[in-house]
Amino acid sequence: MATGKINVSVENIFPLIKKFLYSDHEIFLRELVSNATDATLKLKHLTSIGEAKVEYGNPKIEVQVDKENKQIRIIDQGIGMTADEVEKYINQVAFSGAEEFLEKYKDSAKDSGIIGHFGLGFYSAFMVAEKVEIITKSYKDEPAVHWVCDGSPEFTLSPAEKTDRGTEIILHVAEDSTEFLEEYRIRELLTKYNKFMPVPIKFGTTTETLPKPEDAGDDYVAETVEVDNIINNPNPAWTKQPTDLTDEDYKNFYRELYPMQFDEPLFNIHLNVDYPFNLTGILYFPKLSADLQVQKDRIQLYQNQVFVTDNVEGIVPEFLTMLRGVIDSPDIPLNVSRSYLQADGNVKKISNYITRKVADKLKSLFSENREDFEKKWNDIKIVLEYGMLSEPKFYEKAGAFVLYPTVDEKYFTLDELKEKLAATQTDKHDKLVLLYASDKDAQHSYIAAAKDKGYEVLLLDSPIVSHLIQKLEADNDKISFARVDADHIDRLIQKDEEQISKLTDEEKDKLKEAVETVVPKATYTVQLEAMDSSAAPFIITQPEFMRRMKDMSKTGGGGMFGMGNFPDMYNLVVNTNSNLAGSILATEDAAQRESLVKQALDLARLSQNLLKGEELTAFVKRSFELIK
């Protein structure tokens, strides 16, 4: 029996591993199963090139829990190790066997799926174990060996009686880690980290009843057999070619990823690139509500089918973190615990690629079946609008497929709108004005008035629309947006000939004075406008700039678009050609004239949902008095 001291370059390496090297103790199982997977895939590669003269067979990895003896076992049927290899790979911390293997076979093994990078994964076992044993036999014709270490730099290495190829790791679980002796806990970890590992993983068995043979008699007794409980799917959808998958395959994989999610995805994007980096994956567009309070961290990041994290910030553009799915890349740089991304040029390249791929897919969906794309628009618009604001490369491509619906559920691209408006608006302005509503019900009267005049009204009701139109206006100097209840639309668009006021200048001054006596000057700016006599006598609008700034401040608060607080400011537009204007001028009694103005103002406020609380109560009471 040989004894020796593990060759480490840092004193007390085991406390360092246990406390600091790994961010989460539960990943010990991921690392050990990953090592077992590497050992199996190495053997597969060596047999495929004829270097290993053994039968590969149908190997699997088995995880066992022995609660009574406080042990966890990870058993593989892979490449195994000789005594010299144990000395080389186990007793020298941070010497990676996988890395050396890949370097040796870099031309033939580049697509073998081998995971290891750091040579530290095995030592994660000491985060939960007070003693670790390795019993291993190489595929080479050499004796098996038994390695034991109690968490100090001391180890023993002796011959073992193992006759079959592969490695068995035995963890003697420490008192502070007995939670990992619960079968449900191990099943949870295997499902979380190893659900899609490329080698079958056995965890326990299940009993199945064999079907009754056709020629069995009435006295037939059903037979049962024990079947390995394979806990993973070694061939997940993202590892296959898109041409080999149907729509139903993609939906089934979505259900496999999110078994508690009952909605169907709208569509998927299959990622598959091998230059200038390797990346595969499937992203799903789920149905999203029209707000920004959506659940993020639903995209899972894998490295060669090993789960790494669901925090994909940096790799996936921020606007796409609202999606769901899987990204797998061996080229994403990770630290030794594989839990956090490191700053690297590849990360930005991958992010840019995903942005471009998503934009190309959206364009093809729009071009191939516009009608279906329009039906899905309300479910995806918040993601795309956010993408236009946050990702310049996405914004460059978005014009080809981003839609602007009208209140009548017609859909236009921005270029289509420009062409349509250029044919209907006069040349009195140097810009085309795009009218829009943000709340179809609250702004109904304004929408109706605009439509009566033949104006097209868009419905832009996402919470970030104010930010989006600011950007669109900045990048398109020939268009401007105005909400339908903003500064009076006839003045903005000037489609119609101006109406001539029935009032003299002296009567206008008197009317304005009578209204301003009642209207709060801090909130309302009174404007006189000559309109058709059938139009509303009092109309409340908001200065477009101030209203937009206020909307933007609401969207952000102190967060994404925070811009501070803006006061409520409105225009009160008085139609000088209305009968009410004449009535106000004709009323000699000051109290009665004030009541007329108050009632008209409150009606206008009511149409804008601005009348609440005590003021609403007073309005209702006054209305009943007028009826009497």
Side-chain angles (χ1 to χ4, degrees):
M1 180 175 76
T3 62
K5 187 169 288 189
I6 295 171
N7 180 13
V8 294
S9 58
V10 182
E11 205 169 311
N12 299 322
I13 187 70
F14 292 101
L16 181 68
I17 289 169
K18 192 173 181 73
K19 292 184 179 180
F20 303 113
L21 188 58
Y22 291 87
S23 57
D24 194 339
H25 285 192
E26 70 177 29
I27 60 92
F28 81 94
L29 190 61
R30 179 189 72 184
E31 296 298 313
L32 295 178
V33 173
S34 295
N35 286 350
T37 302
D38 280 353
T40 307
L41 295 179
K42 286 178 189 176
L43 182 66
K44 182 179 182 180
H45 180 70
L46 292 178
T47 55
S48 71
I49 63 174
E51 189 162 323
K53 307 297 183 182
V54 296
E55 186 68 32
Y56 179 67
N58 297 296
K60 59 180 175 287
I61 297 163
E62 183 172 3
V63 179
Q64 300 175 351
V65 177
D66 183 348
K67 189 173 182 180
E68 184 178 347
N69 293 308
K70 297 183 179 178
Q71 293 179 0
I72 299 173
R73 295 170 184 257
I74 297 93
I75 306 163
D76 70 61
Q77 299 159 13
I79 197 170
M81 288 182 286
T82 64
D84 288 343
E85 287 168 340
V86 170
E87 179 72 34
K88 183 176 184 179
Y89 299 128
I90 301 300
N91 296 341
Q92 298 184 51
V93 175
F95 188 97
S96 172
E99 190 172 275
E100 184 191 49
F101 184 91
L102 285 174
E103 178 60 29
K104 181 178 179 181
Y105 298 101
K106 60 185 177 183
D107 293 327
S108 61
K110 62 180 180 179
D111 298 320
S112 62
I114 294 168
I115 300 156
H117 285 292
F118 312 108
L120 289 164
F122 166 73
Y123 284 93
S124 65
F126 287 98
M127 294 192 298
V128 300
E130 59 188 11
K131 183 171 80 171
V132 178
E133 300 180 60
I134 302 174
I135 303 172
T136 183
K137 177 170 173 52
S138 172
Y139 75 97
K140 303 170 186 175
D141 189 19
E142 294 196 31
V145 293
H146 184 190
W147 180 93
V148 183
C149 179
D150 63 0
S152 71
E154 305 293 333
F155 73 89
T156 65
L157 184 64
S158 59
E161 296 182 0
K162 182 177 173 65
T163 58
D164 54 327
R165 178 194 73 226
T167 299
E168 179 175 355
I169 308 289
I170 306 169
L171 310 183
H172 297 264
V173 177
E175 286 298 325
D176 63 357
S177 299
T178 54
E179 66 171 293
F180 297 111
L181 292 170
E182 302 293 338
E183 285 197 6
Y184 83 89
R185 187 75 171 100
I186 296 300
R187 184 177 292 105
E188 177 184 72
L189 295 184
L190 290 172
T191 302
K192 177 178 180 180
Y193 291 109
N194 306 104
K195 186 175 182 179
F196 299 112
M197 294 286 281
V199 178
I201 301 169
K202 174 185 174 182
F203 185 59
T205 58
T206 56
T207 302
E208 290 187 3
T209 301
L210 294 175
K212 182 180 178 179
E214 291 182 4
D215 58 350
D218 294 337
D219 59 346
Y220 171 77
V221 178
E223 292 185 63
T224 59
V225 293
E226 283 198 344
V227 179
D228 290 349
N229 183 23
I230 302 300
I231 205 164
N232 63 319
N233 173 5
N235 300 294
W238 82 80
T239 65
K240 302 173 183 178
Q241 291 298 316
T243 52
D244 297 332
L245 297 168
T246 65
D247 287 344
E248 193 59 32
D249 290 330
Y250 284 113
K251 289 178 181 178
N252 287 337
F253 182 58
Y254 181 81
R255 297 182 195 112
E256 188 175 359
L257 285 173
Y258 310 106
M260 301 306 292
Q261 198 74 41
F262 301 110
D263 62 320
E264 292 286 340
L266 297 168
F267 53 85
N268 65 269
I269 298 172
H270 198 133
L271 306 169
N272 195 339
V273 63
D274 55 16
Y275 182 82
F277 47 81
N278 287 297
L279 180 141
T280 56
I282 301 173
L283 295 180
Y284 292 92
F285 267 76
K287 289 185 178 181
L288 297 174
S289 56
D291 59 53
L292 292 175
Q293 305 304 313
V294 293
Q295 187 173 2
K296 295 189 178 183
D297 298 336
R298 299 303 301 272
I299 296 177
Q300 301 172 14
L301 176 63
Y302 287 76
Q303 191 177 72
N304 287 326
Q305 297 178 230
V306 182
F307 176 78
V308 175
T309 181
D310 54 12
N311 179 2
V312 294
E313 183 179 351
I315 289 181
V316 175
E318 187 181 359
F319 78 101
L320 292 178
T321 58
M322 295 181 252
L323 304 186
R324 296 173 187 158
V326 165
I327 290 174
D328 189 332
S329 175
D331 293 329
I332 296 171
L334 308 169
N335 73 356
V336 289
S337 70
R338 302 180 186 158
S339 297
Y340 299 100
L341 298 171
Q342 296 172 333
D344 186 270
N346 264 354
V347 170
K348 187 60 181 173
K349 290 177 185 175
I350 289 170
S351 177
N352 289 341
Y353 167 78
I354 293 172
T355 298
R356 178 168 55 81
K357 186 72 174 179
V358 169
D360 291 345
K361 175 69 172 183
L362 290 166
K363 183 179 179 182
S364 71
L365 289 170
F366 172 80
S367 302
E368 292 167 10
N369 192 340
R370 177 165 178 164
E371 182 180 358
D372 185 61
F373 191 80
E374 289 177 356
K375 289 177 182 176
K376 293 173 178 173
W377 177 252
N378 284 331
D379 294 314
I380 64 174
K381 64 183 178 185
I382 190 70
V383 176
L384 274 55
E385 290 171 351
Y386 186 23
M388 292 175 71
L389 286 169
S390 60
E391 282 291 327
K393 290 185 180 298
F394 185 77
Y395 180 81
E396 290 172 9
K397 292 176 171 281
F401 52 79
V402 166
L403 295 173
Y404 301 85
T406 71
V407 292
D408 299 317
E409 298 183 355
K410 293 183 286 185
Y411 293 83
F412 300 95
T413 65
L414 190 59
D415 284 343
E416 289 168 347
L417 277 172
K418 289 181 191 176
E419 186 177 346
K420 182 178 177 64
L421 293 178
T424 58
Q425 292 187 16
T426 66
D427 296 328
K428 294 184 179 180
H429 274 290
D430 59 353
K431 291 188 176 185
L432 299 171
V433 180
L434 285 74
L435 283 181
Y436 72 97
S438 59
D439 188 321
K440 196 172 178 179
D441 292 329
Q443 294 151 15
H444 182 270
S445 62
Y446 295 91
I447 295 170
K451 288 176 65 179
D452 285 344
K453 295 179 179 292
Y455 300 144
E456 196 76 73
V457 181
L458 304 176
L459 180 60
L460 307 180
D461 55 1
S462 78
I464 59 174
V465 69
S466 294
H467 305 275
L468 180 59
I469 62 179
Q470 287 284 105
K471 183 171 182 59
L472 290 169
E473 287 175 339
D475 294 336
N476 296 269
D477 59 0
K478 295 298 183 182
I479 65 169
S480 65
F481 287 79
R483 204 168 79 177
V484 71
D485 58 346
D487 303 310
H488 192 45
I489 57 177
D490 283 336
R491 190 165 57 249
L492 285 169
I493 299 178
Q494 290 191 358
K495 178 181 177 182
D496 302 327
E497 292 296 325
E498 291 188 30
Q499 291 281 334
I500 299 173
S501 177
K502 297 177 181 178
L503 303 183
T504 64
D505 290 343
E506 184 180 349
E507 288 172 326
K508 289 179 185 177
D509 291 341
K510 185 178 178 182
L511 175 62
K512 189 173 184 179
E513 182 182 350
V515 173
E516 287 180 335
T517 303
V518 179
V519 173
K521 292 181 180 177
T523 306
Y524 295 95
T525 299
V526 176
Q527 298 176 352
L528 302 183
E529 191 80 31
M531 293 179 274
D532 188 271
S533 59
S534 62
F538 279 22
I539 300 173
I540 292 175
T541 65
Q542 276 192 286
E544 176 66 15
F545 175 77
M546 291 301 295
R547 182 205 55 71
R548 197 180 294 182
M549 292 300 104
K550 186 172 178 64
D551 283 353
M552 291 169 76
S553 70
K554 284 180 183 176
T555 307
M560 185 173 64
F561 295 112
M563 299 181 65
N565 295 317
F566 286 83
D568 288 318
M569 294 181 65
Y570 302 95
N571 297 321
L572 176 62
V573 182
V574 180
N575 182 2
T576 60
N577 289 339
S578 67
N579 293 332
L580 180 62
S583 298
I584 292 171
L585 286 172
T587 302
E588 297 293 336
D589 183 89
Q592 189 176 356
R593 185 170 60 244
E594 182 178 330
S595 179
L596 276 174
V597 173
K598 276 186 177 179
Q599 191 71 5
L601 174 63
D602 284 352
L603 282 167
R605 294 172 70 194
L606 190 64
S607 71
Q608 277 278 56
N609 201 29
L610 296 173
L611 200 59
K612 298 176 182 177
E614 291 181 11
E615 292 177 323
L616 179 58
T617 302
F619 166 75
V620 173
K621 184 178 180 181
R622 189 186 328 116
S623 297
F624 281 123
E625 290 297 324
L626 286 172
I627 292 173
K628 288 193 293 185

